[in-house]
Amino acid sequence: MATELEILTRAEMYLRKMSLGINPLNDQDVTDSDICKQERICKCLTYVADLLQKQVKRLDYRQKKYSAKPLDASLIDLNSLPVVEGNITLKAVASNINRIIPDGHTTLKWRDINSLLHITGVLSRQLDERDHKIDVLTDYGKSIGFEQNYLTWKNKTNLFTLCPINAQKFIFEHLGELADIANRRQNRVKSIREKYVKNKLI
């Protein structure tokens, strides 16, 4: 039985060919009198094919995301880890590590690194003057090179943890713990997804 992704992929292919004046069953050009040759019909077919293409990409991404293998730190070549000059965010550090993680494995999120920094005593959860929870550097975190600054992103100003070279190296030294954190997060996501699908089918 074909999967939803396979059905949508084939439907998108059929509509795309029809929008180009091609019979998808035999790959032959349709006649000039065929309804697919009408401009309005062509535009409608193209529009729907584009929508299906976006849906196919979303489904493909989700399937890869939920079927990812557990991350094994031993698969990461420590000599290939990129150390960047200057202060970079946790998200940038995660992205740099993800570039050398083998395809098909769980990748890192910036929140995984944030969790690691809490576990290792680099960050401490506190309340600001508006009683909002924020992650603040501890004296230990400052001593090993981490920094913080308020940055504006998407019209919001937040306190960001920044990683100079020594801070990046500290994170790299804890890849095993990071992998465990990422795998636990991925397992939670899979569990929630499975429950959602199960309830949807009932």
Side-chain angles (χ1 to χ4, degrees):
M1 183 178 178
T3 64
E4 182 180 7
L5 179 60
E6 291 171 337
I7 293 172
L8 288 176
T9 300
R10 182 171 293 275
E12 187 268 330
M13 181 267 290
Y14 281 178
L15 292 176
R16 186 75 63 192
K17 287 186 176 182
M18 290 169 65
S19 71
L20 297 173
I22 299 172
N23 184 333
L25 299 179
N26 57 22
D27 285 336
Q28 299 294 316
D29 290 338
V30 299
T31 62
D32 290 338
S33 61
D34 193 286
I35 191 172
C36 291
K37 283 286 189 177
Q38 293 186 22
E39 184 179 359
R40 289 183 179 179
I41 300 298
C42 286
K43 288 182 178 180
C44 288
L45 290 171
T46 299
Y47 178 77
V48 177
D50 288 344
L51 290 179
L52 284 176
Q53 186 180 51
K54 292 178 181 178
Q55 183 66 8
V56 166
K57 288 181 178 179
R58 282 195 291 267
L59 281 176
D60 185 48
Y61 170 78
R62 288 175 186 169
Q63 283 194 5
K64 290 178 180 178
K65 176 181 177 181
Y66 295 122
S67 62
K69 299 176 184 177
L71 176 58
D72 184 346
S74 65
L75 297 175
I76 302 175
D77 182 4
L78 296 178
N79 295 321
S80 299
L81 287 169
V83 179
V84 180
E85 294 283 350
N87 290 345
I88 61 174
T89 63
L90 299 183
K91 184 176 181 179
V93 175
S95 296
N96 289 339
I97 297 175
N98 287 339
R99 290 192 182 99
I100 60 173
I101 291 177
D103 290 340
H105 289 77
T106 296
T107 53
L108 298 176
K109 305 288 187 182
W110 75 267
R111 292 185 182 279
D112 298 330
I113 300 178
N114 198 67
S115 295
L116 170 72
L117 298 186
H118 275 281
I119 294 171
T120 53
V122 172
L123 291 176
S124 174
R125 184 65 52 82
Q126 298 181 18
L127 296 177
D128 62 13
E129 63 277 2
R130 297 171 297 175
D131 286 336
H132 292 167
K133 293 179 180 179
I134 58 174
D135 296 325
V136 178
L137 275 179
T138 62
D139 290 338
Y140 171 64
K142 295 175 183 177
S143 71
I144 57 177
F146 284 90
E147 299 178 12
Q148 284 189 320
N149 202 356
Y150 282 95
L151 302 175
T152 300
W153 187 67
K154 290 187 176 180
N155 298 321
K156 291 184 178 180
T157 301
N158 294 302
L159 184 63
F160 280 75
T161 300
L162 303 174
C163 307
I165 291 178
N166 287 339
Q168 295 171 52
K169 290 180 178 178
F170 175 86
I171 294 171
F172 297 162
E173 290 169 358
H174 292 78
L175 281 180
E177 294 164 83
L178 255 184
D180 290 340
I181 292 170
N183 289 333
R184 287 196 296 270
R185 169 183 52 77
Q186 183 70 358
N187 287 336
R188 288 195 299 271
V189 170
K190 285 183 179 179
S191 177
I192 293 172
R193 174 67 178 174
E194 288 170 358
K195 289 179 181 178
Y196 169 78
V197 172
K198 183 179 180 181
N199 291 334
K200 190 175 180 180
L201 293 175
I202 294 176

